[in-house]
Amino acid sequence: MPRYLSLVRIDEAAAPAEGPSEELMRRMGELIEQMTKAGVMLDTAGLTPTAQGTRVRWEDGKTSVTDGPFTETKEVVGGYALMQCKDMAEAVEWTKRFLKVHEDHWTVTCEVREIAEG
């Protein structure tokens, strides 16, 4: 069965400073439990803010290293979900369910991509 990566993109500037609410975390925990029991969820996690990250770039045969925060970036990867689904449609449906557990004040975009095997 194919695997899919859902990249969770957030607008750090618009996200609540205190992070996700307890209610959001409860709903997300319930959904992750459902996905795990269904054999869909392989791995998932949130990421620390970009202020705690480092970018390593390769360009013109040279590497450069830049410490966060990355002010030129509005939308950043805030987490991921690695899923095993029968097809893209199923991966998208689970991703929609993930988005719907968020409160209305969140702006979250997920990019779902099949993992190229072999």
Side-chain angles (χ1 to χ4, degrees), residues 12-112:
E12 280 187 319
E18 66 280 1
S21 68
E22 287 183 30
E23 179 62 19
L24 170 56
M25 294 307 293
R26 182 191 64 74
R27 289 191 306 267
M28 195 172 300
E30 289 173 357
L31 177 61
I32 290 169
E33 184 177 340
Q34 290 172 8
M35 293 174 77
T36 301
K37 286 181 179 177
V40 170
M41 183 64 73
L42 300 177
D43 190 26
T44 187
L47 301 175
T48 58
T50 60
Q52 298 171 14
T54 300
R55 283 190 180 156
V56 182
R57 180 180 175 96
W58 175 257
E59 183 177 21
D60 295 327
K62 299 176 187 165
T63 58
S64 62
V65 177
T66 307
D67 291 330
F70 313 116
T71 55
E72 73 279 3
T73 304
K74 179 177 167 123
E75 205 174 58
V76 300
V77 178
Y80 69 93
L82 179 60
M83 302 175 287
Q84 188 166 348
C85 301
K86 65 182 179 195
D87 55 25
M88 177 64 85
E90 182 184 16
V92 168
E93 283 307 311
W94 281 111
T95 301
K96 286 180 183 177
R97 290 180 66 184
F98 166 78
L99 290 172
K100 289 178 182 178
V101 302
H102 290 78
E103 294 100 351
D104 291 345
H105 61 269
W106 282 88
T107 300
V108 184
T109 303
C110 290
E111 179 180 339
V112 181

